[in-house]
């Protein structure tokens, strides 16, 4: 890896699935790559579905604050807001002119999100083109993503390949990096992956009382009707959560007791709550500190945009010349 890029939407609260599945990996990449680990709050992506304009700026700031609180170190990595670097959208338009509609309508995420909307905006269709621009404007060679984003990264590679072949060799074909140790955190409903769009999340900054109430509702082994019934951990969403946040020895011991009806589900849920709070308490404490010093978060975002803008400008100038635009006289 030489340069990585990844983004997170400010479309809702950052949740424990984001932390365990992505942010922890971002922190490791920052330790390895320093400033060439580029992370972005992708606010333009957040407006491709219905949203509250009055809440967007606040959520964008909050997303940055929470990522810093979770351990993303601005002294090592680069963190900024997508809309603060306008070259993202300029390059996205160029890529739009080169991307067949058929490639976009085949995207699984487009189909899923479009099916939940009465009227589908063109921005949702063009979402992966903007994502490609986010990545390629910095000539990133690696993109840490979850498995659900692999189709988009393959399209990014195709967009780069098509542009290079049609105009000039400018862009690398970035590789997706799926952390083999990154967990696929289930939602508290036990039916799907934890997702802001589904509303089945535990927020990193959520009140502990609310977190406990959510944990109480997590589905158990449906075959375990009475406390005296043996349970199967593999059928329990509670154990699925527990194995991602608790020490393996603890999980193994509880699983054996569970199979022998030696421990009740409520006890395991209380242990799960305690283990989750061990992760969240320091994050929440750091977030409280940052809220008392919002200028620090602002400075991080301004410095991040200042650092990456020259890279984006240089790439965009190469693109303008390659596609034949009339350049201003100096």
């Amino acid at each position: 890896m030489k340069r990585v890029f990844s983004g997170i939407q400010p479309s809702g609260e950052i949740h424990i699935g984001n932390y365990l599945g992505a942010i922890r990996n971002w922190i490791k990449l920052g330790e390895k790559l320093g400033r060439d680990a580029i992370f972005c709050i992708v606010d333009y992506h957040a407006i491709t579905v219905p949203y509250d304009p009055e809440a967007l700026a606040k959520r964008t700031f909050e997303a940055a604050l929470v990522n810093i609180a979770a351990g993303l170190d601005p002294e090592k990595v680069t963190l900024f807001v997508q809309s603060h670097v306008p070259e993202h959208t300029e390059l996205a338009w160029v890529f739009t002119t080169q991307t067949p509609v058929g490639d976009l309508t085949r995207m699984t995420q487009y189909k899923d999100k479009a099916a939940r909307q009465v009227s589908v905006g063109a921005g949702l269709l063009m979402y992966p083109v903007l994502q490609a621009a986010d990545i390629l404007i910095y000539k990133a060679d690696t993109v840490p993503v979850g498995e659900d984003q692999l189709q988009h990264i393959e399209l990014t590679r195709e967009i780069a390949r098509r542009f290079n072949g049609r105009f000039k060799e400018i862009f690398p074909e970035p590789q997706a990096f799926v952390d083999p140790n990154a967990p696929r955190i289930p939602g508290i409903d036990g039916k799907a992956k934890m997702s802001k769009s589904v509303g089945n999340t535990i927020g990193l900054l959520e009140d502990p009382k609310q977190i406990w109430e959510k944990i109480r509702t997590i589905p158990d082994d449906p075959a375990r009707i009475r406390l005296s019934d043996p349970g199967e951990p593999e059928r329990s969403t509670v154990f699925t959560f527990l194995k991602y946040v608790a020490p393996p020895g603890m999980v193994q011991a509880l699983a054996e007791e569970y199979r022998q009806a030696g421990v009740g589900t409520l006890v395991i849920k209380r242990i799960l709550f305690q283990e989750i709070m061990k992760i969240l308490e320091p994050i929440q404490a750091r977030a409280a500190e940052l809220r008392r010093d919002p200028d620090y978060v602002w400075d991080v975002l301004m410095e991040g945009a200042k650092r990456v803008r020259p890279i984006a400008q240089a790439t965009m100038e190469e693109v303008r010349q390659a596609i034949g635009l009339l350049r201003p006289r100096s």
Side-chain angles (χ1 to χ4, degrees):
M1 299 182 192
K2 295 180 181 179
R3 177 176 288 161
V4 303
F5 178 94
S6 197
I8 190 166
Q9 283 198 51
S11 53
E13 64 180 352
I14 308 298
H15 54 73
I16 195 166
N18 297 137
Y19 174 74
L20 297 174
I23 298 173
R24 284 196 311 184
N25 185 37
W26 290 5
I27 294 168
K28 293 177 185 176
L29 290 171
E31 294 288 340
K32 181 178 181 180
L33 296 173
R35 298 300 190 192
D36 280 320
I38 301 174
F39 303 111
C40 182
I41 312 299
V42 288
D43 48 350
Y44 277 135
H45 285 287
I47 68 174
T48 58
V49 294
Y51 73 101
D52 180 2
E54 295 183 359
L56 180 59
K58 180 180 178 181
R59 283 183 170 179
T60 301
F61 184 86
E62 187 79 355
L65 183 149
V66 175
N67 272 274
I68 297 170
L72 204 63
D73 187 353
E75 299 302 316
K76 295 177 180 177
V77 305
T78 301
L79 179 66
F80 71 104
V81 175
Q82 181 187 35
S83 63
H84 295 177
V85 182
E87 286 76 15
H88 284 242
T89 48
E90 185 179 357
L91 183 58
W93 174 251
V94 174
F95 286 164
T96 296
T97 69
Q98 303 299 311
T99 305
V101 172
D103 286 2
L104 301 174
T105 56
R106 283 192 291 271
M107 296 293 107
T108 301
Q109 285 203 356
Y110 168 73
K111 293 177 183 178
D112 291 345
K113 291 183 178 181
R116 298 197 295 265
Q117 297 184 32
V118 176
S119 177
V120 181
L124 185 61
L125 182 65
M126 299 302 171
Y127 181 110
V129 180
L130 177 57
Q131 186 177 21
D134 295 334
I135 298 162
L136 296 175
I137 195 74
Y138 302 111
K139 299 184 180 181
D141 57 56
T142 308
V143 189
V145 292
E147 291 183 357
D148 59 335
Q149 288 290 318
L150 289 177
Q151 190 182 32
H152 284 186
I153 303 308
E154 185 53 44
L155 180 63
T156 297
R157 290 168 52 81
E158 175 59 32
I159 288 172
R161 193 157 50 240
R162 184 180 292 117
F163 183 96
N164 291 344
R166 170 71 174 82
F167 299 108
K168 181 183 177 182
E169 192 82 19
I170 291 178
F171 299 110
E173 293 184 26
Q175 298 290 331
F177 174 70
V178 180
D179 185 352
N181 300 313
R184 185 178 174 86
I185 305 299
I188 58 172
D189 55 3
K191 297 177 181 178
K193 177 184 173 183
M194 187 173 285
S195 170
K196 290 173 281 190
S197 62
V198 178
N200 58 359
T201 65
I202 293 175
L204 292 187
L205 304 186
E206 201 162 348
D207 181 83
K209 291 181 180 179
Q210 293 177 329
I211 292 175
W212 168 241
E213 288 304 315
K214 287 184 174 181
I215 289 174
R216 283 182 58 190
T217 68
I218 294 175
D220 190 25
D221 177 0
R224 193 181 193 198
I225 308 300
R226 294 174 295 275
L227 185 62
S228 58
D229 294 336
E232 176 49 60
E234 294 302 317
R235 292 195 297 259
S236 170
T237 306
V238 182
F239 270 95
T240 302
F241 265 103
L242 194 64
K243 70 182 180 181
Y244 293 136
V245 299
M250 175 191 292
V251 177
Q252 184 177 357
L254 287 171
E256 288 303 315
E257 286 194 62
Y258 188 74
R259 291 189 181 99
Q260 299 171 27
V263 62
T265 301
L266 189 61
V267 172
I268 297 173
K269 287 182 176 181
R270 290 194 181 280
I271 293 171
L272 173 61
F273 171 71
Q274 292 167 2
E275 294 302 313
I276 285 178
M277 291 313 300
K278 287 179 184 178
I279 295 171
L280 298 191
E281 282 172 354
I283 294 174
Q284 294 185 356
R286 176 60 174 148
E289 291 177 5
L290 292 170
R291 284 210 174 90
R292 292 191 290 270
D293 186 16
D295 286 345
Y296 172 77
V297 180
W298 273 111
D299 288 346
V300 166
L301 295 177
M302 296 302 100
E303 178 61 28
K306 181 180 178 182
R307 187 177 303 120
V308 297
R309 185 96 196 267
I311 303 172
Q313 289 173 325
T315 301
M316 202 59 233
E317 186 55 34
E318 285 187 88
V319 169
R320 295 185 196 110
Q321 292 182 17
I323 66 175
L325 295 182
L326 178 64
R327 309 308 304 127
R329 286 182 173 180
S330 57

